[in-house]
Amino acid sequence: MNEMPAKLKARAARKNAKRDEKKRQIATSAIEALKELGYANTSLRDIAEKSDLSLGMLHYYFEDRTDLIIYCVQLYKQEFVRNITDALKKAQGRERVIDAFSEALVTSIVDDNMPHRLWYDIRTQAMFDATFRPVVAEIEGMLIGIVRAAFKKAGHDAPENVEISYALLDGAFRFLMQNQIGKDLGSREELTATFRALLTRFL
């Protein structure tokens, strides 16, 4: 009696997995289109062409351009959190935690400038458009969790106002990331030293 429901459940799981994989593929193509054309100049039609999909098929997976951009940022930020978390897990002792955290942040600035720019754009839009607020709150919760984990790995509990520590670190990250746009990248050593000095103050 339970065999049929189990088969239907397995079939639904496979279908959802295929759908999720397709959405990820589209998001990857969307990021490439955004890198080439820029956020303001990229339409769903541009992304459809980059993805080798019809506009109608793209609408099957995403309601509109905003839905797609949110998904792209969400997907990337989850990966960003995993990368930082993995770096912190491998570090032992306060000094190594500071080094690992600094190096991971610099790597992300250098390698993943565009996804971060999309994130900051969405976060700003959330002040005016309620559509963006749930995903912004979700992502910022994950980012604050990274800072809290760094305190613990460094050997002490995070302060009650850990959000302020996050805000200080995020402000430096955004400034340094934005300062790279349209310019020659500063040396990794200089960027790392800046983060290391900041983290040393509160970790």
Side-chain angles (χ1 to χ4, degrees):
M1 294 292 292
N2 293 327
E3 184 177 356
M4 194 61 178
K7 285 184 177 180
L8 289 174
K9 186 176 181 180
R11 186 181 303 166
R14 288 194 299 271
K15 183 176 181 180
N16 287 336
K18 288 181 180 179
R19 180 180 176 84
D20 288 343
E21 179 58 29
K22 190 63 178 180
K23 289 182 73 171
R24 286 174 178 270
Q25 291 174 3
I26 293 171
T28 300
S29 298
I31 290 293
E32 290 306 310
L34 289 162
K35 286 180 180 179
E36 181 180 334
L37 302 174
Y39 174 70
N41 298 319
T42 305
S43 66
L44 274 182
R45 189 175 299 280
D46 295 322
I47 295 169
E49 291 175 359
K50 284 282 183 182
S51 307
D52 292 326
L53 293 172
S54 68
L55 196 57
M57 182 61 73
L58 195 60
H59 276 294
Y60 174 76
Y61 290 99
F62 297 98
E63 183 176 341
D64 52 27
R65 179 174 176 269
T66 297
D67 187 30
L68 174 55
I69 297 300
I70 286 175
Y71 182 83
C72 289
V73 172
Q74 202 169 22
L75 201 64
Y76 172 72
K77 279 296 186 177
Q78 288 169 354
E79 181 182 354
F80 172 74
V81 168
R82 282 195 299 271
N83 290 341
I84 301 292
T85 300
D86 288 345
L88 291 176
K89 282 181 179 178
K90 297 173 184 176
Q92 298 298 326
R94 178 174 177 271
E95 292 302 312
R96 280 303 304 144
V97 168
I98 291 172
D99 287 342
F101 204 170
S102 300
E103 290 164 9
L105 291 172
V106 170
T107 296
S108 191
I109 283 178
V110 173
D111 295 344
D112 300 312
N113 189 284
M114 177 57 73
H116 288 302
R117 288 160 68 180
L118 291 174
W119 154 243
Y120 285 117
D121 192 16
I122 283 177
R123 196 174 72 175
T124 300
Q125 291 298 322
M127 291 190 288
F128 306 96
D129 188 342
T131 304
F132 296 103
R133 290 172 192 163
V135 71
V136 166
E138 176 189 340
I139 291 172
E140 288 215 301
M142 293 191 298
L143 298 176
I144 291 168
I146 288 176
V147 177
R148 186 176 284 110
F151 273 103
K152 186 174 181 180
K153 284 290 292 185
H156 47 87
D157 292 333
E160 290 186 8
N161 62 344
V162 66
E163 294 84 0
I164 301 301
S165 299
Y166 157 73
L168 290 171
L169 185 59
D170 178 71
F173 184 93
R174 177 171 181 167
F175 176 80
L176 293 171
M177 183 274 298
Q178 188 170 338
N179 201 40
Q180 308 305 310
I181 299 173
K183 301 178 183 179
D184 292 333
L185 291 175
S187 73
R188 296 178 71 100
E189 290 77 14
E190 290 172 345
L191 292 172
T192 303
T194 299
F195 281 119
R196 201 181 190 292
L198 179 60
L199 289 168
T200 298
R201 292 187 178 185
F202 61 78
L203 277 188

